[in-house]
Amino acid sequence: MHWLAGCLFALGIPLAHAQSTDIAVTKSDGTSTYTPGTSTTYTITVTNNGPNATTRVDILDLEPPSTTFAWTCTAGGGAICPAGAGSGDIDSFTGAFPVGGLLTYTVIATTTAGRTGSLTNEVSADPATADPVSGNNVAEDVNTAAPSADIAV
């Protein structure tokens, strides 16, 4: 123990402890392929695994190229959605986010017919409070293109 901390403890003066919280985010559309010109539905969950609440969580999910989003948000465990629904990027922040708080985003991602290559979509959730388990603050879903045939007779 640091000598100053020991002196303060001996005098009965409480020491401030750093607050931490484990915010975790997941994202999946349940498939490994997409068809250009169609939609896929992602489910994103943001949870506070504790041990403390945080004053804010920044949530960022940008539309990939040639893709548009329409989304909704539902909340549980005392958390409050920054917005109930929207379109385009999710770029928002919560207010207080309690331990056990949960946000669930349903994102309908529509790709253009001419889109090529993999569809990589990443979401991040960064708390205002220190997060000792930061490896679960980012989630990514990658789908490969499965082009459909366009045959005319």
Side-chain angles (χ1 to χ4, degrees):
M1 180 181 296
H2 187 271
W3 70 268
L4 180 58
C7 292
L8 293 173
F9 180 77
L11 293 172
I13 301 171
L15 301 175
H17 294 280
Q19 297 285 312
S20 68
T21 191
D22 177 19
I23 296 297
V25 63
T26 63
K27 178 174 197 160
S28 179
D29 65 351
T31 186
S32 60
T33 62
Y34 78 98
T35 302
T38 64
S39 297
T40 188
T41 302
Y42 293 99
T43 300
I44 299 169
T45 60
V46 180
T47 55
N48 183 346
N49 296 322
N52 298 293
T54 186
T55 57
R56 173 183 171 135
V57 177
D58 295 325
I59 302 165
L60 182 63
D61 187 5
L62 301 177
E63 292 175 325
S66 302
T67 306
T68 58
F69 284 169
W71 52 268
T72 60
C73 179
T74 57
I80 298 172
C81 288
S87 60
D89 300 334
I90 299 172
D91 186 3
S92 58
F93 58 90
T94 68
F97 204 91
V99 174
L102 169 70
L103 297 181
T104 302
Y105 286 89
T106 301
V107 180
I108 299 171
T110 304
T111 58
T112 62
R115 189 180 201 302
T116 60
S118 294
L119 175 61
T120 301
N121 192 224
E122 182 178 283
V123 61
S124 64
D126 295 311
T129 307
D131 189 339
V133 190
S134 61
N136 61 6
N137 291 19
V138 176
E140 181 178 83
D141 187 276
V142 179
N143 295 341
T144 56
S148 60
D150 186 11
I151 301 172
V153 180

